[in-house]
Amino acid sequence: VKKIWIAILFVVVSLSAGAQKQKVNFLTTFDDKLIHFGFTIGLNTLDFNVVNYNPIGENPDFVFSPTDRWPTEQTIIRSDVATIIPGFTVGIVSSLRLTNDLNLRFLPGLSFGERQLTYNVPVYDINNYEATQYYSVKSTFLDFPLLIKYKARRINNDRPYVIFGGAYRQDISRTAKEDLVKLKSGGFYAEIGGGWDHYFPFFRFSVEAKFSYGLNNQLGDLPAPVQRQYYAQSIKDLRSKIFTFSFHFE
């Protein structure tokens, strides 16, 4: 029994000593730097906020074709993004210290993604051999986000934060005149998100989630007459929505 009590006392003393041991904080002067750099990789999902003419005759540019006899002015053609497809993002981190808690961040990068506009009618595209239910829109964006990062108080080697700001994106994908639904090449976005910084001995690692909402109607000109134009004419407003889950190394 005596040996048991000695063993228990030894465990209690060891736990007490461990609890009182101060944790080692890494990179304690990292946030005092005026400027620092890094890189980022991440996953994204692209989406559209679609507003349709209901019916298509509400579009003042729609003209009924007596030859095809469909669609008529009363036909309802609706489209939306039904399936979310993961994409990929890479970029460079540039951070400028404004105050103890605020940083100005510029993160130019490149994003790859795809959106599928699903219609309630069969989709006839001259680039496909048979009809489908969706039209695929693939994009390659040059990203230019400019964000404010507000950091909470550091807790040992961790520090949560929120971000907000804006971005400009240029789609450099090559689009042909006969694309069924054509998009404008550039647009502005409002961005908001949050993340968590963790300080390692030689670098800071951050996990971040960010939502971007397009401020411009991205619907472009009508396709060439070789395509059926009513798929694009049924859309009144088309705005991009992007969710990005990033890993920063600084």
Side-chain angles (χ1 to χ4, degrees):
V1 177
K2 184 177 181 181
K3 292 181 179 181
I4 295 176
W5 281 108
I6 293 176
I8 294 175
L9 181 62
F10 177 78
V11 171
V12 171
V13 172
S14 299
L15 292 175
S16 177
Q20 295 178 6
K21 184 178 179 180
Q22 186 176 4
K23 292 185 178 181
V24 178
N25 290 333
F26 302 121
L27 302 178
T28 55
T29 61
F30 184 90
D31 292 324
D32 297 332
K33 297 179 181 179
L34 178 62
I35 300 175
H36 67 263
F37 302 94
F39 68 94
T40 179
I41 58 175
L43 299 174
N44 67 62
T45 56
L46 307 185
D47 196 359
F48 280 130
N49 184 50
V50 186
V51 178
N52 296 279
Y53 286 106
N54 190 14
I56 193 173
E58 292 182 355
N59 184 348
D61 296 326
F62 172 74
V63 178
F64 174 69
S65 172
T67 304
D68 297 333
R69 304 192 61 81
W70 194 92
T72 68
E73 293 182 350
Q74 300 304 315
T75 302
I76 296 176
I77 300 177
R78 301 187 61 83
S79 59
D80 201 357
V81 178
T83 303
I84 299 298
I85 302 174
F88 186 67
T89 299
V90 294
I92 299 172
V93 178
S94 305
S95 185
L96 173 66
R97 180 177 179 269
L98 301 178
T99 67
N100 291 334
D101 301 323
L102 292 176
N103 284 76
L104 180 65
R105 291 168 69 82
F106 180 53
L107 297 92
L110 194 63
S111 297
F112 307 87
E114 180 182 359
R115 288 163 284 199
Q116 293 181 350
L117 276 173
T118 302
Y119 283 82
N120 65 328
V121 296
V123 176
Y124 297 97
D125 184 356
I126 63 171
N127 299 303
N128 296 332
Y129 293 106
E130 57 184 17
T132 62
Q133 286 300 125
Y134 65 87
Y135 176 70
S136 179
V137 180
K138 296 181 180 180
S139 297
T140 301
F141 288 112
L142 288 176
D143 303 325
F144 301 99
L146 188 64
L147 306 170
I148 294 293
K149 177 179 179 179
Y150 176 72
K151 301 171 290 186
R153 180 177 299 179
R154 178 169 170 168
I155 307 171
N156 295 320
N157 286 312
D158 297 286
R159 193 169 192 177
Y161 65 87
V162 295
I163 53 171
F164 56 91
Y168 177 79
R169 288 184 170 85
Q170 181 75 24
D171 192 345
I172 59 174
S173 300
R174 296 184 63 182
T175 56
K177 292 182 179 179
E178 65 271 12
D179 285 347
L180 200 64
V181 178
K182 298 177 65 176
L183 303 181
K184 295 176 181 177
S185 59
F188 292 92
Y189 293 75
E191 305 203 325
I192 189 170
W196 194 276
D197 291 333
H198 183 78
Y199 298 80
F200 287 99
F202 302 107
F203 66 95
R204 186 177 71 185
F205 173 72
S206 307
V207 178
E208 180 182 291
K210 181 179 67 176
F211 180 75
S212 307
Y213 185 80
L215 302 177
N216 309 102
N217 184 2
Q218 290 299 111
L219 186 64
D221 298 329
L222 292 177
V226 294
Q227 288 277 28
R228 293 172 170 85
Q229 298 189 344
Y230 51 79
Y231 296 106
Q233 288 178 322
S234 67
I235 300 174
K236 183 178 183 180
D237 193 88
L238 195 66
R239 296 178 190 262
S240 292
K241 295 188 293 184
I242 303 174
F243 175 79
T244 308
F245 188 75
S246 303
F247 304 95
H248 303 314
F249 301 84
E250 303 172 57

